[in-house]
Amino acid sequence: MANIAKQAASGFLSIGSLLFVITSLFLFIGKNLFISGWTADHANITPLRWVSSTVVPVIVVSWGHGRKSLSTSGALLALIVGFCLTLAHYSFFLCLLAFFITSSKATKYKQEIKAKQEEDFKEGGQRNWLQVLCNGGMAFELSLLYLLDIGSSDLPVDFRHHYRASWLGMAVLGAISCCNGDTWAKEFGTVLATADPFLITTFQKVPKGTNGGVTPVGILSSFVGGLLIGVAYFFGILMTAASMDMEIAPNQLLVILVGGLGGLVGS
């Protein structure tokens, strides 16, 4: 019975992925026919960029669904989120990928201990559509704003020359690093901390697994989790930003620190 349900879920995701690819193809054709035209002078999004933004999320989501990190509903919504982030800026996609992989690993870390401490524990930490929306919804909205205002452009963080793009990029970084920092703090702080957590508002000690409870290990984990997202954003800039933009932009290493602060303060 379990195998039948698993095959049905995989088949449903395959159909959903196929419809997603077909819809993406027709959207690109329609955009070029009725909005931006086919010539290079008017093409803000290249065919290669659109194809990569379509295919790469399908591969990542299928992998995550096969490893039971995503439910079928979560995988279908993640396709749309991944498409928009990849289309807007490759650094956005790398941040999302780093969050998805590391948070999934963190959730599965020492599950047997978490099962004893958490009443609502779910083995495997499979994320459904609501959890995908909560974790990726803000970044998805900001990436849409980036596409509408800036377009599909891999710009470095430079508030002097690319003011709006830099603010939106830092907002996406903050949103994802906050989610990753919060996940790391919960998943690692619960099993690695030796002392009981305390409420940050009253400093009263509470049992492990209590919402709002923090530990020094959890605080450090949130900072490291945010740093990792900052590293992903930094490497995205190095790999995709134009050399002309990089020459006039400030040192991009500060992006890593921004990610760490986003994980620490946001969680």
Side-chain angles (χ1 to χ4, degrees):
M1 192 70 178
N3 289 333
I4 295 176
K6 183 178 179 180
Q7 291 176 359
S10 298
F12 189 74
L13 178 61
S14 298
I15 295 173
S17 299
L18 180 61
L19 291 174
F20 170 75
V21 172
I22 294 173
T23 303
S24 175
L25 174 62
F26 278 103
L27 281 174
F28 182 73
I29 294 174
K31 180 188 75 69
N32 284 282
L33 282 176
F34 302 109
I35 300 176
S36 60
W38 291 99
T39 63
D41 294 336
H42 298 89
N44 187 35
I45 303 176
T46 64
L48 179 60
R49 182 59 174 264
W50 194 282
V51 170
S52 64
S53 300
T54 303
V55 174
V56 173
V58 170
I59 295 173
V60 175
V61 164
S62 299
W63 173 79
H65 186 264
R67 293 179 62 87
K68 297 182 179 179
S69 296
L70 286 169
S71 68
T72 303
S73 64
L76 292 174
L77 183 58
L79 284 175
I80 301 173
V81 175
F83 171 76
C84 286
L85 266 68
T86 310
L87 194 63
H89 199 305
Y90 280 130
S91 287
F92 297 174
F93 166 73
L94 289 179
C95 289
L96 184 66
L97 181 63
F99 164 69
F100 174 62
I101 294 176
T102 62
S103 64
S104 297
K105 294 289 185 182
T107 301
K108 295 178 181 179
Y109 181 70
K110 293 189 176 182
Q111 291 187 107
E112 64 280 358
I113 299 178
K114 297 172 186 175
K116 298 177 183 178
Q117 297 176 349
E118 302 173 11
E119 295 181 359
D120 58 346
F121 174 80
K122 184 178 180 181
E123 186 176 357
Q126 199 175 58
R127 288 172 169 78
N128 57 27
W129 71 270
L130 186 58
Q131 291 168 311
V132 171
L133 181 63
C134 291
N135 288 317
M138 180 57 68
F140 171 70
E141 180 182 355
L142 290 167
S143 67
L144 285 178
L145 291 174
Y146 189 96
L147 283 170
L148 290 172
D149 189 14
I150 312 301
S152 179
S153 184
D154 302 304
L155 295 171
V157 179
D158 185 352
F159 287 95
R160 189 171 69 170
H161 300 97
H162 306 292
Y163 183 78
R164 295 196 303 274
S166 297
W167 271 118
L168 287 170
M170 290 299 92
V172 172
L173 172 60
I176 300 178
S177 61
C178 170
C179 293
N180 204 47
D182 185 64
T183 301
W184 276 44
K186 177 179 181 296
E187 302 300 342
F188 290 128
T190 302
V191 297
L192 295 180
T194 55
D196 288 332
F198 59 89
L199 295 176
I200 199 169
T201 52
T202 62
F203 297 100
Q204 178 184 358
K205 288 189 176 182
V206 292
K208 288 185 177 181
T210 303
N211 288 331
V214 298
T215 62
V217 174
I219 292 173
L220 178 62
S221 298
S222 66
F223 180 68
V224 176
L227 279 179
L228 186 66
I229 303 302
V231 170
Y233 197 105
F234 172 72
F235 278 107
I237 292 173
L238 289 186
M239 290 187 296
T240 60
S243 58
M244 183 182 300
D245 291 325
M246 291 294 288
E247 288 174 0
I248 60 175
N251 194 332
Q252 299 296 295
L253 284 171
L254 290 174
V255 168
I256 300 176
L257 180 59
V258 173
L261 291 176
L264 177 63
V265 178
S267 64

